[in-house]
Amino acid sequence: MLLLAAAFLVAFVLLLYMVSPLISPKPLALPGAHVVVTGGSSGIGKCIAIECYKQGAFITLVARNEDKLLQAKKEIEKHSINDKQVVLCISVDVCQDYNQVENVIKQAQEKLGPVDMLVNCAGMSLSGKFEDLEVSTFERLMSINYLGSVYPSRAVITTMKERRVGRIVFVSSQAGQLGLFGFTAYSSSKFALRGLAEALQMEVKPYNVYVTVAYPPDTDTPGLAEENKTKPLETRLISETSSVCKPEQVAKQIVKDAIQGNFNSSIGSDGYMLSALTCGMAPVTSITEGLQQVVTMGLFRTIALFYLGSFDSIVRRCMMQKEKSEITDKTA
């Protein structure tokens, strides 16, 4: 009886693997496609633009700094695979004025055709204890990290639905899956992208438009270098429990997942575990993905408890050191 049950289970799993590709989205062909990348003048955004350009896409770079845009354009153009490819640069603040964002997207589409893939990579991070952060910091991060993705997505979605093709990528963060010390402002703005993406995916899936949420870990970018200047000790020690990724590695994975229409895009074993742990009611791209989440959930939750215990221990040690230092200062 046990052998029969085991055989049935194996046959069921094999059937899922066979059927899964039949219900997965058709991959998006990048050669000749128009890819818009916000925050594309540096870091992960620039590397995503390079990766798409290497595969034959036409690129629109969107960022605020014109000098950095032109510098990124020259770097991207070195990776062309044919003489027809174009890199268009547009200087605009994607979180200030929706009408302005909509107008520049229309200009880009007039020059390079309808947008096939939008990558929302514009964002920033500021860290600090909750009571030390100015209220304006919460407003600023929500504006840049959340509305800075809402506006461009709103500008392209109608055309994508009409054409029955498209990809929209939201670059979140592992801090958008797990709230960490010092990230009360940053994490909440990145968590918001997850809710937006889930609701939007349900709306646009019947139109063959697919949404991807990327959760990169700490990545070696100018943004991380800037963030580290003001990062609290506790946050820095917790961050150091995982390695720093190269932006090229992150970009390659995000582009791959976006092409395939995967809802989740994670990097490395820690990223895979976090995505499985936090999947909740998130959509799946294949039956195989759903099955893997079900099978691994218990094990990953056990591992996660050890991680959380370690993080709490770091916070307690820092608190005790601070209190000891204050007592020493008073008695000196």
Side-chain angles (χ1 to χ4, degrees):
M1 191 67 181
L2 287 175
L3 287 175
L4 183 62
F8 177 79
L9 180 61
V10 171
F12 179 67
V13 171
L14 289 174
L15 180 62
L16 289 179
Y17 272 97
M18 293 171 62
V19 173
S20 181
L22 301 178
I23 64 170
S24 298
K26 182 180 178 181
L28 178 72
L30 277 187
H34 181 191
V35 178
V36 175
V37 184
T38 71
S41 62
S42 65
I44 295 174
K46 183 178 70 175
C47 290
I48 288 174
I50 291 174
E51 183 64 29
C52 291
Y53 204 64
K54 284 180 179 179
Q55 298 187 39
F58 290 66
I59 305 295
T60 295
L61 290 179
V62 180
R64 291 176 296 178
N65 190 304
E66 290 187 23
D67 292 336
K68 288 184 178 180
L69 276 171
L70 293 175
Q71 187 177 348
K73 172 183 168 73
K74 292 178 181 178
E75 188 174 343
I76 293 167
E77 288 175 336
K78 296 176 183 177
H79 300 277
S80 64
I81 62 172
N82 62 65
D83 56 6
K84 295 181 180 179
Q85 285 177 274
V86 176
V87 178
L88 178 66
C89 293
I90 296 178
S91 176
V92 68
D93 189 335
V94 292
C95 66
Q96 287 298 314
D97 183 354
Y98 171 71
N99 291 327
Q100 189 178 13
V101 173
E102 185 179 38
N103 287 335
V104 298
I105 293 294
K106 285 180 180 178
Q107 292 172 21
Q109 292 189 122
E110 288 171 359
K111 294 180 179 179
L112 300 183
V115 177
D116 297 289
M117 182 191 296
L118 167 67
V119 182
N120 293 290
C121 204
M124 70 175 299
S125 173
L126 292 171
S127 57
K129 292 182 181 178
F130 182 66
E131 66 272 22
D132 294 336
L133 291 170
E134 298 291 338
V135 171
S136 60
T137 299
F138 289 84
E139 296 169 344
R140 185 182 179 194
L141 290 187
M142 190 59 74
S143 176
I144 296 172
N145 294 341
Y146 178 67
L147 293 180
S149 293
V150 171
Y151 291 172
S153 302
R154 179 65 179 77
V156 303
I157 198 64
T158 301
T159 304
M160 285 185 175
K161 289 172 70 175
E162 289 173 351
R163 296 175 63 231
R164 296 293 199 275
V165 63
R167 298 287 191 271
I168 295 179
V169 180
F170 298 105
V171 179
S172 179
S173 163
Q174 285 188 352
Q177 296 172 295
L178 168 67
L180 293 174
F181 188 105
F183 282 151
T184 51
Y186 179 65
S187 282
S188 53
S189 67
K190 290 297 188 177
F191 265 85
L193 290 176
R194 163 76 176 267
L196 169 64
E198 287 191 9
L200 182 59
Q201 178 64 98
M202 191 175 289
E203 289 186 19
V204 300
K205 187 176 180 180
Y207 297 90
N208 194 39
V209 177
Y210 288 88
V211 176
T212 297
V213 187
Y215 300 103
D218 279 349
T219 306
D220 187 12
T221 65
L224 179 64
E226 191 65 28
E227 173 191 324
N228 285 338
K229 292 178 181 178
T230 58
K231 189 177 284 184
L233 175 61
E234 295 90 340
T235 312
R236 180 166 55 81
L237 292 174
I238 290 172
S239 297
E240 288 173 355
T241 60
S242 62
S243 58
V244 176
C245 287
K246 294 293 184 182
E248 295 83 4
Q249 174 193 0
V250 173
K252 190 169 291 189
Q253 186 63 51
I254 291 174
V255 172
K256 178 183 177 182
D257 287 323
I259 289 173
Q260 296 296 328
N262 295 335
F263 184 77
N264 281 300
S265 179
S266 58
I267 313 298
S269 56
D270 285 352
Y272 176 77
M273 182 180 74
L274 268 175
S275 290
L277 276 171
T278 60
C279 61
M281 290 290 287
V284 293
T285 311
S286 67
I287 297 174
T288 305
E289 181 186 1
L291 182 64
Q292 289 172 343
Q293 291 169 351
V294 171
V295 171
T296 60
M297 182 66 75
L299 173 63
F300 286 166
R301 178 56 177 167
T302 303
I303 296 172
L305 292 175
F306 284 98
Y307 272 99
L308 290 171
S310 172
F311 297 161
D312 286 340
S313 177
I314 288 172
V315 173
R316 282 195 299 270
R317 286 202 309 270
C318 288
M319 183 187 72
M320 291 170 65
Q321 289 175 4
K322 183 180 178 182
E323 290 177 344
K324 187 181 295 185
S325 177
E326 290 174 349
I327 293 173
T328 303
D329 291 342
K330 289 179 180 178
T331 58

